[in-house]
Amino acid sequence: MKQFEPTFESLRTYTAPDWFRDAKFGIWSHWGPQSVPMFGDWYARNMYIEGTPQYEYHLRHYGHPSKFGYKDICALWKAEKFDPEALAERYYRAGARYLMTQATHHDHFFNYGSRINRMNSVNVGPKKDILALWKAAADRLGMPFGMSEHLGASFSWWRVNKGCDHSGPYAGVPYDGNDPAWQDFYHANQEHGTENPGDCSPWYTPNPAFRDYWLRCVSEMIDRFQPDLLYTDGVLPFGEHWMGTQGTPDPAAYRHGLEAVARLYNTSVEKHGSNQAVYLQKDRRPEIYQVGVLDIEKSQLPGIMPEPWHTDTCIGNWFYDVRNPYKQPEQIIEMLVDIISKNGVMLLNILQRPDGTIDEEAEFILDRIGEWFRINGEAVYGTRPWRVFSEGETRVKIDGFTEEKTEWGRGDYRFVQKGHFVYAFLMGAKGGETAVIRSFGDQDVHSVELLGAGPLEFRREMGLLLVRLPERLPSRCANTLKIG
């Protein structure tokens, strides 16, 4: 059995397992105590930044953070209606073929019974091992199980809990992060100061003790759950470039990250006889991401990448947010199609309320996605990129963390292949029209089928493939031609 060493040379021999390349679509439970206020992402940080909407909400709803801090929010999280079996089944019916769960966010609260960190979901709040419950549900369905760790940035990200208000009735009163009794949770991170609280740099602290702590915690997660995927929210720890594309990596800076990745892979080798695990991080330099799989948060790539890659996105905000609208299911499906045509895999966060349930709008989105998969799933699972990924002039907007609904034209197609068939997704074509596809050139075409409707008549003219579409198409968006 091949064992991996914690070096770039060894880990760059990594290849993504077939299950990951075949699955294409996963669902993420990005969920924890920060869902309690139902007021969006980064609540644990922004509640300590005077003047932010989350600070104002916290002040008026819970009280001043010198009196009622994030530790008290954690105690309010009960997850009393959390039903992982039912949720996992619903996600599977919606088309997901792997499950990602949050082990810990930047808030340093662990969603399992950690022996290292007392602030965890078994000791505080739900009094449940959230990860163990998720894993049991995933295992029962045969879904690969993943964990996300956002711990690396926590030490510097949470420096704001050491601050105080600069105006008003609590001016100069220290926030509860200054309490020595809670330094193990809030971090002894005074070295990063409290100036410019809106600035998140450095993403990774140079503090050596915290880096050692990170490795101990992530090792505990790997040993406890033997995950099929491990996601780091950032670049490979503890690199200096945030999603950078330039610069020569210093192996010493990445020692902790390399040790964690090698541990993940070797654990999988011992379990399966070969490495079936996937490591996800966000540095776009090949010399870094080749130790695993490149992840691109809420964005994607402009074309086909030789090796599989991954994107993570959400239906709304990252944590439940009463202010934030959701994406429509058609946009999510079209995003998925565009991503898989470029050799990508898509992870979708479905928001959970603090009690563990999902709302009616999320259920609607899942049901619509599931309807589409029941007709078109054949063109998703197990496919690979074709020689071109697209036809037509329309491209998705790639601009940082911006995701907009793409307005497709009638001549826009996305392609994948499996076996002897090419699948052409109709991104903008309407029922009753003639689909005109140029990308086949002189390639022989023997049959054309519309998934969910059956065989269609077609003809070839001057290198074009012309297919007459029925008046009524089976899917609301991204209908699929199976071309043999």
Side-chain angles (χ1 to χ4, degrees):
M1 295 186 295
K2 176 184 177 180
Q3 293 287 318
F4 290 85
E5 299 296 328
T7 64
F8 279 114
E9 291 74 21
S10 177
L11 292 171
R12 284 182 191 135
T13 65
Y14 172 84
T15 56
D18 285 340
W19 75 257
F20 178 74
R21 303 191 69 186
D22 293 343
K24 304 299 184 189
F25 179 55
I27 284 180
W28 193 0
S29 171
H30 190 283
W31 182 50
Q34 288 179 93
S35 66
V36 168
M38 298 196 294
F39 218 65
D41 195 19
W42 283 28
Y43 190 94
R45 174 181 168 83
N46 293 333
M47 63 169 278
Y48 293 106
I49 302 179
E50 186 179 9
T52 65
Q54 287 160 316
Y55 167 90
E56 300 292 349
Y57 177 85
H58 189 90
L59 182 67
R60 293 165 185 167
H61 195 80
Y62 300 109
H64 191 261
S66 64
K67 297 181 177 180
F68 195 100
Y70 186 67
K71 67 182 186 304
D72 305 297
I73 291 287
C74 294
L76 295 180
W77 184 39
K78 300 302 182 184
E80 64 272 22
K81 296 181 181 179
F82 177 45
D83 188 346
E85 298 284 341
L87 287 175
E89 288 179 5
R90 178 177 277 277
Y91 296 163
Y92 191 89
R93 290 197 306 270
R97 290 299 178 263
Y98 65 99
L99 177 68
M100 181 75 77
T101 61
Q102 184 177 281
T104 178
H105 200 253
H106 310 315
D107 63 352
H108 193 212
F109 187 93
F110 288 8
N111 283 351
Y112 68 96
S114 173
R115 295 181 179 179
I116 300 173
N117 179 9
R118 63 172 168 138
M119 288 297 284
N120 65 71
S121 63
V122 173
N123 293 340
V124 178
K127 304 297 178 68
K128 301 173 183 177
D129 194 314
I130 300 295
L131 286 192
L133 292 169
W134 270 129
K135 181 172 171 55
D139 288 348
R140 188 174 66 81
L141 293 169
M143 297 176 74
F145 174 76
M147 303 186 313
S148 67
E149 67 82 14
H150 309 244
L151 182 62
S154 179
F155 192 83
S156 50
W157 180 88
W158 225 7
R159 62 191 175 88
V160 292
N161 64 48
K162 302 302 185 294
C164 64
D165 285 4
H166 296 285
S167 62
Y170 289 94
V173 178
Y175 300 146
D176 73 325
N178 291 280
D179 185 347
W182 290 93
Q183 292 298 280
D184 61 330
F185 178 47
Y186 288 121
H187 302 306
N189 54 4
Q190 288 84 349
E191 66 203 68
H192 286 289
T194 57
E195 300 80 14
N196 302 316
D199 183 4
C200 288
S201 61
W203 189 251
Y204 289 150
T205 182
N207 185 290
F210 178 79
R211 292 185 174 193
D212 290 343
Y213 175 75
W214 175 90
L215 182 58
R216 285 198 296 123
C217 292
V218 173
S219 296
E220 179 186 59
M221 297 170 196
I222 294 169
D223 294 347
R224 180 78 61 87
F225 296 101
Q226 301 179 338
D228 301 294
L229 302 95
L230 177 64
Y231 168 108
T232 287
D233 188 11
V235 303
L236 176 68
F238 282 95
E240 297 177 357
H241 296 85
W242 173 243
M243 295 181 290
T245 58
Q246 303 294 326
T248 302
D250 175 11
Y254 295 91
R255 177 180 67 82
H256 297 82
L258 294 172
E259 289 189 18
V261 177
R263 191 184 199 99
L264 172 71
Y265 293 165
N266 290 333
T267 298
S268 181
V269 170
E270 292 170 5
K271 181 178 180 180
H272 299 288
S274 62
N275 181 31
Q276 297 298 308
V278 176
Y279 176 67
L280 302 163
Q281 64 80 58
K282 300 178 183 181
D283 195 313
R284 298 195 187 190
R285 292 173 293 175
E287 58 267 39
I288 303 296
Y289 71 67
Q290 286 172 354
V291 305
V293 171
L294 172 63
D295 177 85
I296 300 176
E297 180 180 343
K298 295 192 73 174
S299 188
Q300 56 156 295
L301 295 175
I304 298 173
M305 184 171 173
E307 296 299 324
W309 55 280
H310 187 264
T311 190
D312 57 288
T313 188
C314 47
I315 60 173
N317 205 332
W318 283 117
F319 285 101
Y320 199 92
D321 190 341
V322 296
R323 305 163 297 173
N324 201 285
Y326 289 172
K327 294 180 176 71
Q328 292 298 304
E330 290 74 23
Q331 179 184 0
I332 295 168
I333 291 166
E334 291 164 358
M335 289 170 57
L336 171 68
V337 167
D338 191 69
I339 287 164
I340 68 172
S341 73
K342 302 170 184 174
N343 208 16
V345 178
M346 190 176 92
L347 178 66
L348 179 68
N349 176 39
I350 299 295
L351 293 163
Q352 288 170 258
R353 292 178 286 209
D355 65 4
T357 60
I358 61 176
D359 61 27
E360 289 184 351
E361 192 175 0
E363 291 176 345
F364 169 79
I365 290 170
L366 290 167
D367 289 343
R368 281 287 178 89
I369 294 174
E371 288 174 7
W372 183 86
F373 262 102
R374 281 188 284 277
I375 295 171
N376 301 280
E378 173 187 336
V380 177
Y381 305 125
T383 59
R384 299 291 184 267
W386 193 38
R387 54 185 175 82
V388 296
F389 78 90
S390 72
E391 183 176 317
E393 296 182 358
T394 307
R395 296 290 186 271
V396 297
K397 183 177 181 180
I398 300 176
D399 182 15
F401 295 131
T402 300
E403 294 174 319
E404 298 179 357
K405 175 72 170 69
T406 303
E407 298 302 323
W408 302 101
R410 294 178 178 179
D412 289 319
Y413 305 93
R414 293 296 181 267
F415 302 104
V416 293
Q417 65 179 337
K418 181 167 60 177
H420 300 294
F421 296 98
V422 174
Y423 296 89
F425 295 97
L426 312 176
M427 306 305 285
K430 308 298 182 183
E433 297 179 348
T434 297
V436 180
I437 305 178
R438 296 170 170 79
S439 297
F440 283 85
D442 295 328
Q443 180 178 334
D444 289 339
V445 173
H446 303 286
S447 64
V448 177
E449 174 187 347
L450 178 63
L451 296 186
L456 299 180
E457 294 184 359
F458 67 94
R459 67 184 190 274
R460 303 299 302 276
E461 292 184 6
M462 301 178 65
L464 303 177
L465 172 62
L466 298 98
V467 183
R468 182 66 180 176
L469 301 176
E471 293 293 330
R472 184 179 178 85
L473 298 177
S475 299
R476 292 181 173 87
C477 66
N479 286 270
T480 313
L481 297 177
K482 180 180 180 180
I483 303 169

